[in-house]
Amino acid sequence: MLNKIVLMGRLVRDPELRRTGTGTAVVALTLAVDRDYKAPDGKRETDFIDVVTWRSTAEFVSKYFTKGRMAVVEGRLQIRDWTDKDGGHRRSAEVVADNIYFGDSKRTVSDSDTPSSGEFQELPEEEKGELPF
């Protein structure tokens, strides 16, 4: 049998790290995943998929991901049955993530590290030397 899911979408909100009673890290998030086709009115539909991740993956996600960031999620589908406050039986589906990867690149270059276009910087004396070619 096989229960494997791979999704790529954007985080709907910032992940919030929580801990269980025993101290295990957990993050629940929602991923907005566009469908491959457009509706008859020309608009692309989006599915909002609940994802939960545990332990070191949860800590990684809470530290490095933010709302709007593209994420690739690998995991499995889990169906949970539960009872609501009125006694009704409910069923919900969520993806339990084994791995979450960056789906985009976030480039952060500080102004002090890179000269503005067309400008040259003089090397400090200790960095001057023979050219390697």
Side-chain angles (χ1 to χ4, degrees):
M1 290 185 245
L2 180 66
N3 183 354
K4 178 89 172 174
I5 291 183
V6 178
L7 301 167
M8 183 172 178
R10 296 197 180 274
L11 272 68
V12 173
R13 63 185 169 281
D14 287 337
E16 183 180 332
L17 181 69
R18 295 183 181 196
R19 299 224 178 247
T20 64
T22 60
T24 305
V26 60
V27 168
L29 55 96
T30 302
L31 210 60
V33 180
D34 288 338
R35 294 185 182 174
D36 288 339
Y37 59 89
K38 292 182 181 178
D41 62 0
K43 294 182 181 178
R44 191 170 299 272
E45 295 182 15
T46 302
D47 293 307
F48 295 91
I49 301 171
D50 293 327
V51 177
V52 64
T53 187
W54 297 88
R55 297 174 189 77
S56 60
T57 306
E59 291 175 359
F60 171 77
V61 169
S62 71
K63 186 174 182 180
Y64 295 107
F65 283 82
T66 56
K67 177 182 177 179
R69 190 81 197 256
M70 183 74 71
V72 178
V73 174
E74 289 181 345
R76 63 183 170 82
L77 183 64
Q78 175 175 285
I79 307 297
R80 291 187 304 123
D81 293 317
W82 51 282
T83 305
D84 65 15
K85 64 181 179 180
D86 299 325
H89 295 289
R90 302 285 183 166
R91 175 174 273 196
S92 59
E94 63 190 4
V95 174
V96 178
D98 297 322
N99 297 300
I100 300 182
Y101 307 99
F102 296 110
D104 57 3
S105 60
K106 187 173 186 180
R107 205 172 145 226
T108 57
V109 177
S110 68
D111 293 336
S112 62
D113 292 342
T114 307
S116 20
S117 60
E119 294 181 15
F120 294 95
Q121 292 180 335
E122 188 69 30
L123 287 175
E125 280 300 318
E126 61 272 4
E127 290 185 27
K128 288 184 180 178
E130 291 186 30
L131 294 176
F133 49 87

